[in-house]
Amino acid sequence: MPLDVVRLRVLVAVARTGTVTAAARELHYSQPSVSHHLARLEAETGAKLVQRVGRGVRLTEAGRLLAERGAEILGRLDAASAELAAHVGLRAGRVRLAAFPSALGTFVPAAAARLAQDHPGLDLRLMEAEPPEALRLLRAGRVDVAVVFRYGEAAPEDDGVRLVHLLDDPGLLVTPAAYGDAGDLAAYADGPWIAGCERCRAHLLALCAEAGFAPRVSFTTDDYVAVQAMVAAGLGTALLPRLALSAHRHPGVRVSELPGSDRRVYAATYGEPPDPPAVAALVAALLPQEDA
Protein backbone atom coordinates (compact mmCIF):
# COMPACT_ATOMS: atom_id res chain seq x y z
CA MET A 1 0.00 0.00 0.00
CA PRO A 2 1.42 3.47 -0.90
CA LEU A 3 2.46 5.63 2.02
CA ASP A 4 0.23 8.57 2.85
CA VAL A 5 2.15 11.86 2.55
CA VAL A 6 0.15 13.55 5.31
CA ARG A 7 0.94 10.73 7.74
CA LEU A 8 4.59 10.87 6.75
CA ARG A 9 4.59 14.58 7.64
CA VAL A 10 3.14 13.71 11.04
CA LEU A 11 5.83 11.09 11.71
CA VAL A 12 8.61 13.45 10.58
CA ALA A 13 7.21 16.22 12.81
CA VAL A 14 7.13 13.86 15.81
CA ALA A 15 10.73 12.83 15.10
CA ARG A 16 11.84 16.45 14.78
CA THR A 17 9.98 17.88 17.78
CA GLY A 18 10.20 14.87 20.09
CA THR A 19 6.58 14.83 21.33
CA VAL A 20 3.06 14.45 20.00
CA THR A 21 2.10 17.75 21.61
CA ALA A 22 4.89 19.69 19.90
CA ALA A 23 4.20 17.99 16.57
CA ALA A 24 0.50 18.87 16.84
CA ARG A 25 1.41 22.48 17.59
CA GLU A 26 3.80 22.66 14.64
CA LEU A 27 1.30 21.10 12.20
CA HIS A 28 -1.71 22.96 13.64
CA TYR A 29 -3.42 19.61 14.36
CA SER A 30 -5.07 18.38 17.52
CA GLN A 31 -3.17 15.82 19.61
CA PRO A 32 -5.78 13.09 18.94
CA SER A 33 -5.41 13.76 15.20
CA VAL A 34 -1.63 13.27 15.39
CA SER A 35 -2.09 10.03 17.38
CA HIS A 36 -4.66 8.83 14.83
CA HIS A 37 -2.31 9.47 11.90
CA LEU A 38 0.51 7.60 13.66
CA ALA A 39 -1.78 4.64 14.36
CA ARG A 40 -2.97 4.55 10.74
CA LEU A 41 0.63 4.74 9.48
CA GLU A 42 1.56 1.79 11.67
CA ALA A 43 -1.41 -0.15 10.30
CA GLU A 44 -0.46 0.71 6.72
CA THR A 45 3.19 -0.26 7.14
CA GLY A 46 2.69 -3.22 9.45
CA ALA A 47 5.53 -1.92 11.64
CA LYS A 48 5.65 -0.56 15.17
CA LEU A 49 6.85 3.02 14.69
CA VAL A 50 6.46 4.65 18.12
CA GLN A 51 6.63 3.50 21.73
CA ARG A 52 4.94 5.12 24.70
CA VAL A 53 7.52 6.36 27.23
CA GLY A 54 5.91 7.93 30.28
CA ARG A 55 3.81 10.81 28.95
CA GLY A 56 5.72 10.98 25.70
CA VAL A 57 6.66 8.78 22.76
CA ARG A 58 9.90 7.40 21.38
CA LEU A 59 10.49 6.28 17.83
CA THR A 60 11.44 2.65 17.28
CA GLU A 61 14.27 1.72 14.94
CA ALA A 62 11.69 1.26 12.16
CA GLY A 63 10.16 4.61 13.07
CA ARG A 64 13.53 6.40 12.89
CA LEU A 65 14.29 4.79 9.54
CA LEU A 66 10.93 5.81 8.06
CA ALA A 67 11.20 9.32 9.53
CA GLU A 68 14.63 9.82 7.95
CA ARG A 69 13.44 8.60 4.55
CA GLY A 70 10.22 10.53 4.95
CA ALA A 71 12.12 13.77 5.54
CA GLU A 72 14.00 13.21 2.29
CA ILE A 73 10.80 12.43 0.38
CA LEU A 74 8.98 15.47 1.76
CA GLY A 75 11.97 17.67 1.02
CA ARG A 76 11.98 16.54 -2.61
CA LEU A 77 8.22 17.09 -2.88
CA ASP A 78 8.58 20.61 -1.49
CA ALA A 79 11.45 21.25 -3.88
CA ALA A 80 9.39 19.98 -6.82
CA SER A 81 6.60 22.36 -5.87
CA ALA A 82 9.03 25.27 -5.82
CA GLU A 83 10.56 24.18 -9.13
CA LEU A 84 7.18 24.12 -10.85
CA ALA A 85 6.44 27.60 -9.55
CA ALA A 86 9.81 28.84 -10.79
CA HIS A 87 9.47 27.15 -14.17
CA VAL A 88 6.97 29.68 -15.50
CA GLY A 89 9.43 32.07 -17.11
CA LEU A 90 11.41 32.51 -13.86
CA ARG A 91 8.80 35.11 -12.92
CA ALA A 92 7.90 33.48 -9.63
CA GLY A 93 8.99 30.80 -7.24
CA ARG A 94 11.68 30.17 -4.68
CA VAL A 95 15.27 29.01 -4.86
CA ARG A 96 17.30 28.12 -1.76
CA LEU A 97 21.06 28.31 -1.30
CA ALA A 98 23.31 27.01 1.48
CA ALA A 99 26.89 28.30 1.60
CA PHE A 100 29.84 28.30 3.99
CA PRO A 101 30.57 31.52 5.95
CA SER A 102 33.45 32.98 3.92
CA ALA A 103 31.47 32.49 0.69
CA LEU A 104 28.51 34.30 2.26
CA GLY A 105 30.92 37.05 3.28
CA THR A 106 32.43 37.55 -0.18
CA PHE A 107 31.00 36.51 -3.56
CA VAL A 108 27.53 35.18 -2.66
CA PRO A 109 25.96 38.62 -1.93
CA ALA A 110 27.06 39.89 -5.35
CA ALA A 111 25.60 36.78 -6.97
CA ALA A 112 22.34 37.31 -5.07
CA ALA A 113 22.18 40.88 -6.31
CA ARG A 114 22.72 39.75 -9.92
CA LEU A 115 19.98 37.15 -9.57
CA ALA A 116 17.56 39.72 -8.14
CA GLN A 117 18.34 42.11 -10.99
CA ASP A 118 17.91 39.52 -13.74
CA HIS A 119 14.95 37.66 -12.17
CA PRO A 120 13.16 40.02 -9.76
CA GLY A 121 10.28 37.58 -9.24
CA LEU A 122 12.47 34.87 -7.73
CA ASP A 123 12.55 34.54 -3.95
CA LEU A 124 16.11 33.65 -2.93
CA ARG A 125 16.62 32.12 0.53
CA LEU A 126 20.15 31.99 1.99
CA MET A 127 21.39 29.65 4.71
CA GLU A 128 24.82 29.30 6.32
CA ALA A 129 26.21 25.77 6.42
CA GLU A 130 29.60 24.09 6.17
CA PRO A 131 29.94 21.64 3.24
CA PRO A 132 28.91 18.40 5.00
CA GLU A 133 25.73 19.96 6.39
CA ALA A 134 25.05 21.85 3.14
CA LEU A 135 25.22 18.58 1.18
CA ARG A 136 22.89 16.87 3.65
CA LEU A 137 20.40 19.70 3.17
CA LEU A 138 20.80 19.40 -0.61
CA ARG A 139 20.16 15.64 -0.66
CA ALA A 140 17.13 16.07 1.59
CA GLY A 141 15.67 18.69 -0.74
CA ARG A 142 15.82 21.48 1.85
CA VAL A 143 18.06 23.60 -0.39
CA ASP A 144 18.41 23.69 -4.19
CA VAL A 145 22.08 24.69 -4.47
CA ALA A 146 24.96 24.22 -2.03
CA VAL A 147 28.18 26.21 -2.29
CA VAL A 148 30.87 23.83 -1.04
CA PHE A 149 34.64 23.42 -1.13
CA ARG A 150 36.87 20.40 -1.59
CA TYR A 151 40.54 19.69 -1.07
CA GLY A 152 42.54 17.33 -3.24
CA GLU A 153 42.57 14.58 -0.62
CA ALA A 154 38.78 14.71 -0.04
CA ALA A 155 36.69 11.65 -0.99
CA PRO A 156 34.36 12.02 -3.99
CA GLU A 157 30.81 13.15 -3.34
CA ASP A 158 27.97 10.64 -3.50
CA ASP A 159 26.24 9.76 -6.75
CA GLY A 160 23.58 12.31 -7.63
CA VAL A 161 25.60 15.34 -6.49
CA ARG A 162 26.77 17.38 -9.49
CA LEU A 163 29.48 20.03 -9.10
CA VAL A 164 30.08 23.23 -11.09
CA HIS A 165 33.52 24.73 -10.46
CA LEU A 166 33.33 28.36 -9.34
CA LEU A 167 36.86 29.30 -8.26
CA ASP A 168 40.12 28.18 -6.64
CA ASP A 169 40.80 29.54 -3.17
CA PRO A 170 44.48 29.56 -2.08
CA GLY A 171 45.42 28.57 1.47
CA LEU A 172 47.28 31.11 3.61
CA LEU A 173 49.51 30.53 6.63
CA VAL A 174 48.35 33.00 9.30
CA THR A 175 50.79 34.05 12.03
CA PRO A 176 51.06 36.99 14.46
CA ALA A 177 52.33 40.13 12.74
CA ALA A 178 54.81 40.55 15.59
CA TYR A 179 56.65 37.40 14.45
CA GLY A 180 57.86 39.04 11.26
CA ASP A 181 58.19 36.81 8.19
CA ALA A 182 55.59 34.01 8.37
CA GLY A 183 58.01 31.34 7.12
CA ASP A 184 56.69 27.84 6.39
CA LEU A 185 54.67 25.16 8.21
CA ALA A 186 57.70 23.42 9.70
CA ALA A 187 58.75 26.61 11.48
CA TYR A 188 55.67 26.22 13.72
CA ALA A 189 55.88 22.48 14.33
CA ASP A 190 56.41 22.87 18.09
CA GLY A 191 53.78 25.56 18.70
CA PRO A 192 50.00 25.47 19.13
CA TRP A 193 47.65 25.47 16.14
CA ILE A 194 44.08 26.65 15.58
CA ALA A 195 41.93 24.39 13.40
CA GLY A 196 38.62 24.99 11.67
CA CYS A 197 35.82 22.86 10.26
CA GLU A 198 36.07 19.12 9.68
CA ARG A 199 37.36 19.40 6.10
CA CYS A 200 39.76 22.25 6.94
CA ARG A 201 41.16 20.34 9.91
CA ALA A 202 41.75 17.21 7.81
CA HIS A 203 43.52 19.33 5.20
CA LEU A 204 45.73 20.97 7.85
CA LEU A 205 46.71 17.57 9.27
CA ALA A 206 47.56 16.29 5.78
CA LEU A 207 49.76 19.32 5.00
CA CYS A 208 51.57 19.11 8.33
CA ALA A 209 52.16 15.38 7.81
CA GLU A 210 53.78 16.18 4.46
CA ALA A 211 55.98 18.71 6.29
CA GLY A 212 57.05 16.02 8.75
CA PHE A 213 55.12 16.76 11.92
CA ALA A 214 51.73 16.38 13.62
CA PRO A 215 50.30 19.74 14.72
CA ARG A 216 49.26 20.29 18.33
CA VAL A 217 45.73 21.67 17.85
CA SER A 218 44.90 23.74 20.93
CA PHE A 219 41.80 25.56 19.65
CA THR A 220 39.04 24.66 17.20
CA THR A 221 36.53 27.11 15.72
CA ASP A 222 34.77 27.64 12.40
CA ASP A 223 34.73 31.42 13.01
CA TYR A 224 37.49 32.93 10.86
CA VAL A 225 37.18 36.26 12.69
CA ALA A 226 37.86 34.50 16.00
CA VAL A 227 40.72 32.51 14.46
CA GLN A 228 42.51 35.69 13.38
CA ALA A 229 41.93 37.34 16.76
CA MET A 230 43.50 34.33 18.51
CA VAL A 231 46.46 34.32 16.12
CA ALA A 232 46.97 38.05 16.63
CA ALA A 233 46.99 37.46 20.40
CA GLY A 234 49.78 34.89 19.99
CA LEU A 235 47.64 31.86 20.87
CA GLY A 236 48.60 29.84 17.83
CA THR A 237 49.16 29.51 14.11
CA ALA A 238 46.39 28.84 11.56
CA LEU A 239 45.76 27.98 7.95
CA LEU A 240 42.94 30.01 6.39
CA PRO A 241 41.63 30.30 2.82
CA ARG A 242 41.99 33.60 1.02
CA LEU A 243 38.21 34.08 0.97
CA ALA A 244 38.24 34.25 4.78
CA LEU A 245 40.88 36.96 4.72
CA SER A 246 38.97 38.80 1.98
CA ALA A 247 35.84 38.82 4.13
CA HIS A 248 37.75 40.02 7.21
CA ARG A 249 41.43 40.84 7.78
CA HIS A 250 42.73 41.40 11.31
CA PRO A 251 45.48 44.04 11.40
CA GLY A 252 47.50 41.97 13.85
CA VAL A 253 48.20 39.01 11.55
CA ARG A 254 50.68 38.26 8.78
CA VAL A 255 49.90 35.85 5.95
CA SER A 256 51.88 33.94 3.35
CA GLU A 257 50.52 31.71 0.61
CA LEU A 258 51.24 27.99 0.87
CA PRO A 259 51.74 26.23 -2.49
CA GLY A 260 49.57 23.16 -2.89
CA SER A 261 47.06 24.18 -0.22
CA ASP A 262 44.31 25.49 -2.51
CA ARG A 263 40.72 24.42 -2.11
CA ARG A 264 38.29 24.29 -5.02
CA VAL A 265 34.90 25.95 -4.56
CA TYR A 266 31.82 24.51 -6.30
CA ALA A 267 28.12 25.04 -6.73
CA ALA A 268 26.53 21.65 -6.02
CA THR A 269 23.13 20.51 -7.27
CA TYR A 270 21.40 17.16 -6.81
CA GLY A 271 19.54 14.86 -9.15
CA GLU A 272 19.49 14.17 -12.86
CA PRO A 273 20.13 17.05 -15.28
CA PRO A 274 18.91 19.40 -16.51
CA ASP A 275 18.51 21.67 -13.50
CA PRO A 276 15.23 23.56 -13.09
CA PRO A 277 15.39 27.08 -14.58
CA ALA A 278 15.56 28.80 -11.18
CA VAL A 279 18.46 26.57 -10.07
CA ALA A 280 20.31 27.09 -13.36
CA ALA A 281 19.85 30.86 -13.00
CA LEU A 282 21.30 30.80 -9.48
CA VAL A 283 24.30 28.71 -10.54
CA ALA A 284 24.92 31.10 -13.45
CA ALA A 285 24.81 34.06 -11.06
CA LEU A 286 27.40 32.38 -8.82
CA LEU A 287 29.89 31.92 -11.66
CA PRO A 288 32.70 34.53 -11.90
CA GLN A 289 31.69 37.46 -14.07
CA GLU A 290 33.88 38.56 -16.99
CA ASP A 291 33.77 42.19 -15.86
CA ALA A 292 34.54 41.27 -12.19
Side-chain angles (χ1 to χ4, degrees):
M1 178 182 295
L3 293 175
D4 185 283
V5 173
V6 172
R7 289 166 189 155
L8 270 182
R9 286 193 186 277
V10 169
L11 180 66
V12 170
V14 171
R16 182 170 54 249
T17 62
T19 67
V20 169
T21 301
R25 186 182 306 115
E26 179 179 289
L27 296 170
H28 303 290
Y29 290 173
S30 66
Q31 291 185 42
S33 179
V34 169
S35 297
H36 172 75
H37 281 302
L38 290 175
R40 292 300 305 155
L41 189 57
E42 288 185 331
E44 291 173 356
T45 59
K48 186 68 175 176
L49 303 177
V50 296
Q51 296 174 326
R52 296 290 176 184
V53 179
R55 295 184 178 181
V57 296
R58 179 174 60 199
L59 267 63
T60 64
E61 186 64 29
R64 285 192 294 271
L65 174 63
L66 185 56
E68 290 173 3
R69 295 295 179 264
E72 295 176 7
I73 292 167
L74 295 173
R76 302 314 298 174
L77 286 173
D78 291 342
S81 177
E83 289 168 7
L84 285 174
H87 192 78
V88 185
L90 290 173
R91 293 189 299 271
R94 176 191 66 186
V95 63
R96 301 158 299 174
L97 172 69
F100 54 90
S102 57
L104 285 174
T106 51
F107 65 88
V108 168
R114 286 192 292 271
L115 187 69
Q117 181 178 4
D118 295 341
H119 307 288
L122 274 181
D123 178 18
L124 173 63
R125 307 288 178 87
L126 298 177
M127 181 185 305
E128 179 182 311
E130 293 291 349
E133 175 61 17
L135 289 171
R136 282 192 289 271
L137 293 170
L138 181 67
R139 294 186 187 98
R142 293 178 59 190
V143 299
D144 307 295
V145 180
V147 173
V148 301
F149 60 82
R150 291 176 52 82
Y151 293 103
E153 66 270 16
E157 305 299 348
D158 294 341
D159 290 342
V161 174
R162 293 181 287 114
L163 302 176
V164 176
H165 179 241
L166 300 178
L167 57 95
D168 290 337
D169 192 13
L172 305 174
L173 181 64
V174 185
T175 58
Y179 286 7
D181 184 21
D184 57 17
L185 286 176
Y188 302 92
D190 297 329
W193 284 80
I194 304 164
C197 72
E198 179 183 338
R199 290 191 176 190
C200 297
R201 183 189 182 102
H203 181 58
L204 172 64
L205 295 177
L207 288 176
C208 291
E210 290 179 5
F213 71 97
R216 174 165 56 88
V217 176
S218 298
F219 303 96
T220 301
T221 176
D222 296 340
D223 188 335
Y224 54 82
V225 176
V227 170
Q228 292 180 62
M230 287 190 283
V231 171
L235 298 178
T237 304
L239 178 65
L240 286 177
R242 179 175 290 170
L243 281 178
L245 276 296
S246 298
H248 170 81
R249 174 70 179 268
H250 194 290
V253 302
R254 183 183 298 272
V255 301
S256 62
E257 189 168 325
L258 288 176
S261 64
D262 295 12
R263 65 181 184 179
R264 293 173 68 81
V265 179
Y266 300 91
T269 58
Y270 188 69
E272 294 296 324
D275 290 320
V279 173
L282 175 55
V283 172
L286 288 165
L287 288 167
Q289 305 299 297
E290 293 183 358
D291 58 350

